Amino acid sequence: MNIWKISIRNIKFKPLYSFLSIFILSLSIILLLGIHQLKKSFETQIENNLGQIDLVIGAKGSPLQLILASALHIDTPTGNINYDDAKKISKNPMIKLAVPISYGDNYKGFRIVGTTNQYTSLYNAELENGHRVKKSMEIILGNTVAKKLNLKIGDSILSSHGLIENNIEVHSDQLKVVGILKPTQKVIDRLIITNLESIWETHDHDNKINTEENDKKHEHHEKHEEHEEHEEHEEHEDKEITSLLVTFKNPRGFLTIPRKINKYTNMQAALPKYELGKLYKYTNIGLQTISWIAYLILLISCLTIFISTYKMVKERAFDLAILRTYGASNFQLIKMVFYEGGMIVFFAFLLGLLLTKITLETIVSLIQISNQQIILQELIFTDLLQIASFVFSMVFISILLAIYPIINMNISTILSNEK
């Protein structure tokens, strides 16, 4: 007696019941997998993309915006800060590493970040090919940038002003690719890195033109006025950066440095893990609500499977009794019912996994800031196994409760009543 074949025929015999069971169960699986994947993606953004950044110092404004712009590179900066002021802060004995970054340009949607060679150490990024930036107008590419844009060492690019791809404000200075980083699965994979001088020189062109016009306009002024103009000109020549990324030597830095910067300077200091933790706390309320809805749908699905299976066992009592007379044991009949439930769960899980992948990728592609900024992380096998085990356990309990009539089956009574 082939139990598998009988189970498959039973499923085919009631296609509507089978379809509804698979659909309802797959709906709860979609929600469970989707919520778990979103949580995993958010946690990965915090853990991986922050690297070794303990503090971000930038212009006054929203602390969260400063973190999203300078650490995750998914927002616009709050403004610029004076480079000399930032260097003074970096000399604090409690600071282990202070890396300045300056940006405002992009190439085909990928951000160009001016910084120092210490920036890659924040993410433990290593070169795959080429060498570090040694002079102005040299760049190294994140692995994702190099692959998506098909760039190689020796190629040259022209950057565009702003953080969104455009063909209007294109700079005339060419940037030459001198290195490509190994993949890290972090935000640095999606960045184009150069030195601070490249950013400053690219944007100094317009300033020089304005300075020449101002010089011509004030040629007739007296020496005293010329002296004041010279001092103002030197002040405008002070270099600025977008933000300073800080790593502390010890936990004492968390307690003192941010408070002093926010209180006594015109800059602000934001703690990435604290700010993103608050964001996660707010968004987690919605995620938890959807999770409970998913569990409720799963419970309803299991209840439906229990009622349907129990009804099926009662309705097919005569057929089951006939199978017993032909030598089938109670255990074989129970296995047949469990096989039917197992196949329903299996197909529902496959359908749920496929629809989750399609739905999340579609949603992310619609709401992501740029088509290069991918925040969705794939679920690892252990996560899938955990959710699958939970769903199978719930369905197993439902079927276990529904097979009670088989255990207490009285063959002679059933056959006599049928006659």
Side-chain angles (χ1 to χ4, degrees):
M1 181 180 296
N2 194 320
I3 303 297
W4 273 110
K5 288 183 178 180
I6 297 176
S7 300
I8 293 173
R9 287 176 182 174
N10 288 337
I11 291 176
K12 291 181 177 179
F13 182 71
K14 292 186 176 181
L16 182 60
Y17 152 73
S18 300
F19 172 76
L20 290 176
S21 299
I22 291 173
F23 176 77
I24 296 174
L25 189 57
S26 65
L27 182 60
S28 64
I29 292 172
I30 289 171
L31 292 175
L32 287 173
L33 289 175
I35 293 302
H36 197 80
Q37 191 167 356
L38 288 175
K39 285 183 177 180
K40 192 75 176 179
S41 300
F42 194 91
E43 291 170 359
T44 301
Q45 290 292 310
I46 295 177
E47 294 174 6
N48 288 351
N49 288 340
L50 290 183
Q52 301 176 30
I53 303 172
D54 295 325
L55 181 72
V56 179
I57 301 171
K60 294 286 188 181
S62 166
L64 180 59
Q65 181 183 350
L66 179 62
I67 300 302
L68 295 177
S70 299
L72 302 185
H73 294 276
I74 54 175
D75 205 344
T76 56
T78 54
N80 290 332
I81 59 175
N82 186 273
Y83 186 35
D84 289 335
D85 293 340
K87 284 195 293 185
K88 291 176 184 177
I89 295 174
S90 65
K91 294 177 182 178
N92 190 296
M94 286 184 287
I95 292 179
K96 177 182 178 181
L97 184 64
V99 181
I101 63 170
S102 182
Y103 61 90
D105 294 337
N106 78 93
Y107 178 67
K108 294 188 176 180
F110 290 100
R111 295 192 179 191
I112 300 174
V113 178
T115 182
T116 64
N117 286 331
Q118 293 175 314
Y119 183 74
T120 55
S121 65
L122 292 173
Y123 304 97
N124 297 321
E126 299 177 352
L127 281 172
E128 185 175 63
N129 295 308
H131 60 80
R132 300 279 181 184
V133 173
K134 296 179 180 179
K135 57 184 180 180
S136 297
M137 303 306 162
E138 289 184 345
I139 57 173
I140 57 176
L141 308 176
N143 199 267
T144 301
V145 180
K147 288 182 178 179
K148 286 201 171 185
L149 301 184
N150 196 25
L151 293 172
K152 58 184 183 299
I153 293 175
D155 290 345
S156 295
I157 64 172
L158 292 175
S159 61
S160 300
H161 185 66
L163 303 178
I164 301 175
E165 181 181 2
N166 69 84
N167 297 320
I168 300 174
E169 298 181 83
V170 179
H171 297 297
S172 58
D173 298 309
Q174 288 192 340
L175 301 172
K176 183 180 179 181
V177 179
V178 296
I180 297 174
L181 295 172
K182 293 180 180 178
T184 62
Q185 305 303 317
K186 300 175 184 178
V187 68
I188 197 171
D189 289 346
R190 302 184 293 273
L191 299 177
I192 300 173
I193 301 168
T194 184
N195 56 16
L196 292 169
E197 290 74 20
S198 299
I199 301 294
W200 292 333
E201 289 178 17
T202 301
H203 293 87
D204 274 349
H205 182 69
D206 293 336
N207 292 335
K208 288 179 181 178
I209 294 175
N210 292 333
T211 301
E212 290 175 0
E213 291 177 354
N214 290 333
D215 288 341
K216 291 179 180 178
K217 189 181 294 183
H218 297 285
E219 279 179 354
H220 63 282
H221 282 191
E222 297 178 356
K223 291 183 179 181
H224 181 67
E225 291 175 335
E226 289 177 356
H227 178 69
E228 289 181 346
E229 181 185 349
H230 179 67
E231 288 182 342
E232 184 180 355
H233 176 64
E234 286 184 342
E235 183 182 348
H236 288 166
E237 280 190 334
D238 288 345
K239 301 302 182 184
E240 292 184 331
I241 59 173
T242 305
S243 57
L244 188 69
L245 310 179
V246 175
T247 301
F248 292 125
K249 288 182 179 178
N250 53 63
R252 286 179 55 197
F254 289 94
L255 302 175
T256 59
I257 294 179
R259 180 176 57 83
K260 288 182 178 179
I261 292 173
N262 291 327
K263 187 174 182 179
Y264 299 110
T265 72
N266 61 350
M267 297 176 285
Q268 74 164 329
L271 298 169
K273 291 184 180 179
Y274 174 73
E275 295 297 334
L276 292 177
K278 285 198 304 182
L279 178 62
Y280 179 74
K281 182 180 178 180
Y282 296 142
T283 57
N284 195 45
I285 297 174
L287 295 177
Q288 287 290 352
T289 302
I290 299 176
S291 294
W292 283 113
I293 293 174
Y295 287 122
L296 179 62
I297 294 176
L298 177 61
L299 181 63
I300 294 173
S301 176
C302 291
L303 185 62
T304 303
I305 292 175
F306 162 73
I307 295 173
S308 300
T309 304
Y310 184 84
K311 184 179 178 183
M312 178 269 294
V313 171
K314 295 290 289 183
E315 289 177 350
R316 286 162 42 191
F318 181 77
D319 296 332
L320 296 175
I322 292 293
L323 290 175
R324 283 291 310 278
T325 60
Y326 280 97
S329 63
N330 269 351
F331 180 68
Q332 287 179 309
L333 298 182
I334 292 172
K335 278 203 305 183
M336 181 181 66
V337 177
F338 271 105
Y339 285 166
E340 292 180 30
M343 281 187 283
I344 288 174
V345 176
F346 176 75
F347 288 119
F349 196 85
L350 285 182
L351 179 62
L353 187 62
L354 178 62
L355 292 179
T356 300
K357 187 176 181 64
I358 295 173
T359 303
L360 286 180
E361 288 185 354
T362 302
I363 293 174
V364 169
S365 66
L366 292 176
I367 66 174
Q368 63 191 5
I369 295 176
S370 66
N371 55 6
Q372 288 85 18
Q373 183 63 37
I374 302 171
I375 63 173
L376 196 62
Q377 302 292 322
E378 293 292 338
L379 286 177
I380 59 177
F381 178 74
T382 52
D383 294 329
L384 293 175
L385 186 62
Q386 183 181 3
I387 295 175
S389 300
F390 178 74
V391 174
F392 271 94
S393 299
M394 292 289 291
V395 175
F396 177 82
I397 294 172
S398 301
I399 296 175
L400 192 64
L401 295 174
I403 61 174
Y404 180 77
I406 296 179
I407 298 175
N408 290 331
M409 180 185 294
N410 188 318
I411 300 175
S412 58
T413 302
I414 294 173
L415 293 177
S416 61
N417 290 337
E418 188 66 24
K419 291 177 181 179

